Amino acid sequence: MKFLYVFTIGCQMNTYDSDLFYRLLAPMGYVPADSPETADLVIANTCAIRAKAEDKAFSFIGRLQTIKAQRPDFHIGMAGCVAQQEGAKILARAPYVDFILGTHAIWRLPEIVETVVREGRRVVDVDMNEALPEARELTERPASGVSDFVTIMRGCDNFCTYCVVPYVRGREMSRPPEAIVEEVRRKVAAGVREITLLGQNVNSYGQKEGLPDFPELLRRVADVEGLLRLRFATSHPKDLSDDLIRAFSEIPQLCHHLHLPVQSGSTAVLARMNRKYSREHYLERIARLREVCPDIHLGTDIIVGFPGETPKDFEETLSLVETIRYDGVFAFAYSDRPNAKAAGFSDKVPEKEKRSRLATLLELQNGITREKNEACVGRVTDVLVEGKNPRRMEGRGDTAGGDRFTGRTQGNRVVHVLPAKGREISVGLCVEVRIDRALGHSLLATQVA
Ligand code: SAH
Ligand code: SF4
Ligand code: F3S
């Protein structure tokens, strides 16, 4: 028996692949380790989206050097998007790394580990040639918990000028709907009640391959008996069709929640980002969504300080945030990425100015979030129960006492629920609750009797 530790940075795509590493190496006798120190093999599954993520990867593997110095049979691999981006250069920068595994090479992990461990050779495999068709279907994972993810596509064809994903993940590729529905079916049979369909741009699902489109895929997945909730991430505003908007009122299982990254509120900046929509188009899509589904919860991603972003452009982002009043915003300071086109753009915004804009935006959104939190007190909503709360909530404003269950609303807010007198709650059930109180990052509620 040997021990494997995988350290994951980045998005759900990486979480998914990390899981695959464990499964691919299990036949070779590898079992999960609790920490890098107790492992024989450590793989860092890395993210290249911003410089900070990349730095995190290098500082993690840097710390492994001391283990390697003590144990010559200890091996280190670097996988994911930084591995794909930097390739053999990593071996020069971090000579203690044994192998570099690109994003399209994951299927070859067992042979690579074999070469590294048995022959003591270092390996770099960042070949981006198409994965074997039968290997693609290996992307299925065993079910875990009440809520789980299913990958419906990989890669991205959009080439937003700031983004590294198309370079490190390759071209967009959709899985056949039958395989997706089958995976969902198996997961639901194993106890999963909520599925999130994953891809970089799910609403262009199947277009290239001539498969059924995304709204049709949603309908097929929703038809799986026993599935209570369906979500998806991420979608691109340019491809948000009326048909998909209608799905929010037509498919009962589809959560009233949409993460729709806007990136900027300025049409001029959006054009330089190659986003292919204007501020007006985005606002029109949101208005249409709210018409069809008035209680929809909205989230977004925003980049501040994109090259050439003027104070006036930034004002437009603030005013868009004020107009839409999102339930949640992920905001990032623009970060130059070596492969992305915007790295070559002029008029870079100084670091200090980016920080200050980021702080202004976050302050605005924090106020909105606070108001929204307070406004939901007293409301009745449904919560999918995912577990029993491990610690009591006393001391955090919870005077009710008693054991609570934890779950999430359709809008993805964490709720700690107290069962109603004489009623039972169990994991995997969808229960109706009344919100009693808003804490900083979660809500307290009581089950409706
Ligand atoms: N595919 C998704 C998101 C991918 S990355 C989409 O298109 O919406 C997640 C977020 O990281 C992006 O939405 C963007 O806001 C941010 N991001 C990507 N590249 C960045 C960069 N170079 N600098 C700062 N933020 C970036
Ligand atoms: Fe990156 Fe744009 Fe593709 Fe999203 S849609 S992954 S931001 S290139
Ligand atoms: Fe990061 Fe790669 Fe995902 S760059 S965000 S881990 S696709």
Side-chain angles (χ1 to χ4, degrees), residues 238-258:
K238 79 175 162 58
D239 300 314
L240 185 63
S241 66
D242 284 339
D243 197 14
L244 181 54
I245 290 177
R246 272 196 304 274
F248 284 100
S249 71
E250 290 170 2
I251 302 178
Q253 293 85 348
L254 191 60
C255 286
H256 290 180
H257 181 234
L258 179 67

Side-chain angles (χ1 to χ4, degrees), residues 54-62 78 82 86 90 93-94 96:
E54 195 169 325
D55 294 345
K56 194 169 163 190
F58 282 105
S59 86
F60 173 78
I61 55 162
M78 196 151 170
V82 177
E86 299 297 306
I90 295 168
R93 178 170 172 184
Y96 42 87

